[in-house]
Amino acid sequence: QVQLVESGGGSVQAGGSLRLSCAVFGYAYSNYCMGWFRQAPGKEREGVARIDSDGSTKYADSVKGRFAISQDNAKNTLYLQMNGLKPEDTAMYYCAANLVCYGLTAIDFGYWGQGTQVTVSS
């Protein structure tokens, strides 16, 4: 069974950077649509970015130019490089996977990690 394990979260000041990782166990993630989501308390889960098996990417408007999604097939690991962090980026960040890319909403992904907390202070 596919398992996703996030890491790399932490606390950082506004303008700082973090790199999140998602280790994929069970199957080669290169055959999947991979995504990053985030959810702040009291808010719905928001799609941040996704990458298809062909390498094509999609980003939420709120993170374009600041975040970058990438993957290392040899390590079976997904990454989210976050630069220029803002307080509004504070959330629990989740790695997600699906056989095929559809949209960038939670309903479009079937496999989920447990999340890693990102806190950005001003």
Side-chain angles (χ1 to χ4, degrees):
Q1 184 173 342
V2 176
Q3 296 182 45
L4 309 175
V5 181
E6 303 96 332
S7 63
S11 181
V12 64
Q13 291 189 343
S17 299
L18 284 173
R19 190 186 193 189
L20 306 183
S21 298
C22 172
V24 182
F25 302 93
Y27 297 98
Y29 85 137
S30 60
N31 296 325
Y32 287 77
C33 177
M34 304 295 299
W36 285 100
F37 289 75
R38 64 188 183 186
Q39 187 167 24
K43 302 185 69 175
E44 294 187 349
R45 191 162 297 189
E46 173 191 17
V48 175
R50 78 180 195 203
I51 185 167
D52 204 348
S53 58
D54 64 1
S56 62
T57 59
K58 171 71 175 179
Y59 295 92
D61 289 341
S62 59
V63 306
K64 286 181 179 177
R66 299 190 298 121
F67 292 9
I69 188 171
S70 62
Q71 57 192 17
D72 186 330
N73 291 341
K75 297 180 179 179
N76 228 30
T77 302
L78 179 75
Y79 301 98
L80 183 67
Q81 179 65 48
M82 305 185 294
N83 299 323
L85 284 164
K86 305 175 181 179
E88 52 262 45
D89 295 319
T90 296
M92 184 73 75
Y93 282 72
Y94 298 90
C95 176
N98 206 65
L99 290 175
V100 179
C101 279
Y102 295 102
L104 189 54
T105 61
I107 196 67
D108 296 313
F109 289 81
Y111 297 97
W112 295 88
Q114 292 187 308
T116 184
Q117 179 67 39
V118 171
T119 302
V120 184
S121 62
S122 59

